[in-house]
Amino acid sequence: ATGATTPAAAVAPTTALASTTSVGADGRLGPRQLVDVLRRAGFSGDGLRTAWALAMRESSGRPGALSKVNGNGTRDHGLFQLNSIHVGRVIDADKVFDADANARAAFKLSHHGKNFSAWGIGHTGWAGHLERMQPATYAAYNARFQEILARFPG
């Protein structure tokens, strides 16, 4: 396994994904393609719907998405915008832009699709902190999430 990256380190995006999931010309997975990726990762039921809306909110369904440098020097990668602190822990550096691997890592981080607080959903963990310390940001994240959730194709 690849070692954890330093906060400032980032993995370069690639257009050639290792997974068998193909993206459109715009670099996005179609809505139903994304559902298939999430099901393969283990998501089901409400967790599947939540994961779909989060991946759409975080990356617009783009496995190759890479954030700008965050305030703490980290970057976010792939479908679920996995923070670089997770590279080498729940996902290898050479897999962060692979749709299936990124979704599997999100499945692990979300406690098998049951806790999405790492993405600002819910009231515990980082989501709870955000809700208390930056209520307007928390409200905006969750409003955007609800808008996207309403478009779930399943």
Side-chain angles (χ1 to χ4, degrees):
T2 305
T5 62
T6 59
V11 179
T14 178
T15 55
L17 301 175
S19 81
T20 58
T21 304
S22 61
V23 296
D26 61 358
R28 300 175 200 280
L29 295 173
R32 294 202 182 278
Q33 280 182 298
L34 179 55
V35 168
D36 292 342
V37 166
L38 298 174
R39 283 191 174 128
R40 285 195 301 269
F43 290 103
S44 63
D46 287 341
L48 173 65
R49 293 179 71 237
T50 300
W52 184 88
L54 282 174
M56 292 301 289
R57 184 189 76 186
E58 294 292 318
S59 69
S60 299
R62 293 179 299 121
L66 178 64
S67 74
K68 295 179 182 176
V69 176
N70 297 318
N72 63 358
T74 61
R75 292 184 83 173
D76 305 321
H77 304 83
L79 279 177
F80 282 90
Q81 290 294 275
L82 300 177
N83 189 272
S84 55
I85 65 167
H86 300 297
V87 175
R89 295 178 184 171
V90 297
I91 190 167
D92 290 338
D94 62 343
K95 300 286 185 191
V96 294
F97 299 111
D98 176 291
D100 291 288
N102 196 280
R104 285 190 303 271
F107 187 69
K108 289 178 194 172
L109 288 170
S110 68
H111 303 272
H112 299 147
K114 298 189 181 353
N115 181 336
F116 294 92
S117 63
W119 291 273
I121 300 298
H123 306 284
T124 62
W126 183 75
H129 173 79
L130 187 64
E131 183 178 30
R132 287 186 305 279
M133 303 305 289
Q134 297 179 37
T137 300
Y138 176 83
Y141 277 1
N142 281 278
R144 179 75 178 124
F145 169 78
Q146 291 299 325
E147 290 171 14
I148 295 168
L149 186 62
R151 297 192 320 250
F152 179 70

